[in-house]
Amino acid sequence: MGKKKEKKIQHYSSSQKILLVGEGNFSFSACLAKAFGSATNMVATCLHSKDALRRKHQSSGPHLAELKSRGCLVLYEINVCDMNQNPSLMSMKFDVIIFNFPHAGHCGLNETDRLLIE
């Protein structure tokens, strides 16, 4: 059985071990998994519990199903400030860590507003 062909999407490659931190509704990680055809090289995390995620990001269901079907490890309740103490992550090594610009949670402002950036 031959080795799978490497797929590249911009800065990312299916041959890299990728950690996705602070995924909101997991749409980015699901998109990456679809483009690679697999997510066995990916670990996707979010700050929320599974239940809180479902309430906060109702659109996350299909994205999580996509990730699961493609072999992604999804971890809940992972805070970026102390994730190095998480038993599931402590022994893992990654080639790439992706922390997309987090949503600041302010109503009425968007991520380009100077007040919010400051």
Side-chain angles (χ1 to χ4, degrees):
M1 193 162 160
K3 189 176 179 182
K4 287 184 181 178
K5 185 176 187 226
E6 178 184 28
K7 294 183 180 179
K8 292 185 176 190
I9 294 91
Q10 295 289 350
H11 311 291
Y12 314 117
S13 163
S14 60
S15 66
Q16 296 169 317
K17 185 72 175 172
I18 300 173
L19 173 63
L20 296 114
V21 178
E23 286 289 276
N25 69 354
F26 289 90
S27 59
F28 182 82
S29 51
C31 184
L32 203 55
K34 278 189 217 175
F36 288 156
S38 172
T40 57
N41 63 317
M42 296 168 39
V43 176
T45 71
C46 74
L47 178 62
H48 305 295
S49 68
K50 205 174 204 178
D51 289 338
L53 176 71
R54 287 184 185 138
R55 286 190 306 275
K56 188 173 177 92
H57 296 287
Q58 295 172 355
S59 62
S60 66
H63 304 306
L64 290 166
E66 181 75 35
L67 291 169
K68 184 177 180 182
S69 74
R70 296 189 184 271
C72 182
L73 174 60
V74 175
L75 300 175
Y76 302 92
E77 299 181 69
I78 303 295
N79 187 323
V80 71
C81 296
D82 61 10
M83 67 191 306
N84 62 329
Q85 300 302 312
N86 181 279
S88 298
L89 294 170
M90 286 174 74
S91 63
M92 293 184 185
K93 295 187 181 209
F94 298 94
D95 300 307
V96 176
I97 299 173
I98 301 170
F99 189 15
N100 289 313
F101 188 82
H103 186 292
H106 293 286
C107 296
L109 298 176
N110 67 43
E111 281 78 6
T112 60
D113 288 334
R114 194 99 199 116
L115 178 63
L116 183 58
I117 293 169
E118 290 173 12

